Amino acid sequence: MIVSASRRTDIPAFYSEWFFKRLEEGFVMVRNPFNFHQVTKVPLTKNWVEGFVFWTKNPARMMKKLHLLEEYPYYFLFTLNPYDKAIERNVLDKDLVIKIFQNLSKTIGRERVIWRYDPIILTPEFDIKYHVDSFKWLTSHLADFTEKCIISFVTFYPKIEKNLRKIGAHPVSREEKIEVASKFYEIAKENGIKIEVCAEEEDLSPFGVFPAKCVDKSLIERISGKKLQVKKDKNQRKFCGCDESVDIGTYDTCLHGCIYCYANSSIEAIRKNVKNFDINSPLLCSHLVEGDIVREKIRA
């Protein structure tokens, strides 16, 4: 099984010590976000985990202990956007994040650091020209340190629509997607980077941008040298291309404070959950309580 860590929160940035504690103990527990008392025990042993996929905006804390992952295939999905503190409230300054990206790539190899420019938000301030200029600038710093960039266009989920409207954002039209994709493709091509798009209904392949697999068994096979019997993930969005994985994160626990984040419902919810963080608990920002039903994850 591939382990996703995590679509729901930034484990490398905020909970890496907890993750390595779970790795040491050989398992982690995950609450069903739709059924509080349903808990899954996920083995993290070498003979069970076929690969880790880490999602992050800042893996610096985790990098000190990457040697503990030497016997596991893994790669990072590293989000690096051009937004300011009004949109990504607690993300580090871009120059520092670029250096962290470069250092991670030097440490584990450029094929294992996938750049995510995600999501693309269009506002009067962050218009298409802004994104094209920003993408070109970021590419000039990252081209030698990654093989691929995955882009996505913002989705107006109900929980974040109010935040997006406040900054003047609007749903990205078909014409705008095509313009952005085609211009990004030319920049990426000039710099030797492959570009893909995440969970996008619009067919952008005529413009050089093909559907992405963020959780990608073929990359794990390349890293490990082993073939995986992993199917497409049926539990993701309709146009998601990801392969099947089990996610070990918890919603409402990410401290980056990005206004576009679908994984957080409110600052209050985050504060409440983070108070429950215990490095020794098998659950992230939670503890087992009376009424919990724990079932062990079975390999698909």
Side-chain angles (χ1 to χ4, degrees):
M1 175 63 72
I2 299 171
V3 176
S4 170
S6 155
R7 287 184 174 91
R8 301 170 182 173
T9 191
D10 195 328
I11 288 176
F14 303 114
Y15 306 107
S16 62
E17 291 297 324
W18 171 84
F19 169 79
F20 284 116
K21 180 74 172 178
R22 302 319 320 144
L23 196 67
E24 179 184 356
E25 296 195 8
F27 73 96
V28 62
M29 291 186 181
V30 186
R31 285 195 184 279
N32 183 332
F34 307 106
N35 185 340
F36 181 82
H37 286 295
Q38 187 179 86
V39 178
T40 302
K41 182 178 179 181
V42 181
L44 295 181
T45 54
K46 299 182 185 72
N47 64 340
W48 198 91
V49 176
E50 294 171 300
F52 286 108
V53 178
F54 297 106
W55 310 64
T56 189
K57 286 185 171 77
N58 179 13
R61 293 178 183 175
M62 195 172 192
M63 288 170 63
K64 301 173 184 177
K65 292 191 174 183
L66 288 179
H67 62 280
L68 298 176
L69 287 167
E70 286 179 353
E71 297 186 46
Y72 296 87
Y74 68 91
Y75 65 90
F76 283 80
L77 294 163
F78 196 133
T79 299
L80 179 46
N81 294 324
Y83 303 120
D84 57 22
K85 297 290 185 179
I87 293 182
E88 296 181 338
R89 298 187 186 103
N90 301 318
V91 175
L92 297 176
D93 291 338
K94 304 307 174 185
D95 289 339
L96 180 55
V97 179
I98 288 170
K99 290 179 181 178
I100 294 170
F101 190 109
Q102 293 171 341
N103 288 336
L104 178 64
S105 176
K106 291 175 184 177
T107 302
I108 66 175
R110 67 194 293 260
E111 73 280 0
R112 291 205 282 171
V113 187
I114 310 301
W115 173 25
R116 288 182 66 93
Y117 189 105
D118 162 43
I120 296 169
I121 303 170
L122 294 182
T123 73
E125 179 180 1
F126 303 112
D127 58 11
I128 291 178
K129 183 180 185 305
Y130 175 88
H131 280 288
V132 171
D133 291 344
S134 297
F135 185 74
K136 187 173 184 177
W137 179 76
L138 287 169
T139 300
S140 71
H141 290 83
L142 303 181
D144 292 335
F145 302 94
T146 188
E147 294 182 348
K148 183 191 297 183
C149 177
I150 297 175
I151 65 171
S152 79
F153 297 96
V154 68
T155 299
F156 276 62
Y157 295 106
K159 68 171 69 174
I160 62 171
E161 183 170 359
K162 185 177 179 181
N163 288 339
L164 293 171
R165 297 293 185 188
K166 280 183 179 179
I167 62 170
H170 64 268
V172 185
S173 69
R174 177 179 184 274
E175 292 73 23
E176 289 170 329
K177 289 177 181 180
I178 290 172
E179 184 176 356
V180 169
S182 58
K183 290 181 177 179
F184 276 29
Y185 169 75
E186 292 300 328
I187 296 169
K189 183 180 179 182
E190 289 174 4
N191 288 274
I193 297 178
K194 184 178 181 180
I195 188 165
E196 296 176 347
V197 63
C198 175
E200 176 55 50
E201 179 177 4
E202 189 67 44
D203 180 13
L204 298 174
S205 59
F207 311 97
V209 181
F210 290 83
K213 280 189 177 184
C214 299
V215 176
D216 185 358
K217 72 171 184 178
S218 65
L219 178 53
I220 293 176
E221 289 174 340
R222 176 183 170 190
I223 295 166
S224 67
K226 299 177 181 179
K227 296 295 290 184
L228 303 186
Q229 300 300 316
V230 178
K231 299 178 182 179
K232 185 179 184 300
D233 196 332
K234 298 178 181 178
N235 296 316
Q236 301 303 321
R237 290 176 289 169
K238 181 178 180 181
F239 296 98
C240 176
C242 284
D243 291 314
E244 188 176 18
S245 66
V246 56
D247 199 294
I248 63 171
T250 301
Y251 289 114
D252 287 313
T253 59
C254 185
L255 299 167
H256 283 309
C258 304
I259 68 168
Y260 54 73
C261 184
Y262 63 84
N264 290 334
S265 58
S266 68
I267 294 175
E268 291 72 23
I270 297 168
R271 288 172 178 166
K272 178 182 177 181
N273 288 333
V274 170
K275 284 182 180 179
N276 292 321
F277 174 68
D278 178 355
I279 194 172
N280 295 308
S281 173
L283 289 155
L284 180 58
C285 294
S286 181
H287 295 83
L288 288 174
V289 298
E290 186 177 351
D292 284 347
I293 299 173
V294 180
R295 295 190 176 97
E296 186 150 346
K297 179 70 177 178
I298 299 174
R299 190 189 294 271

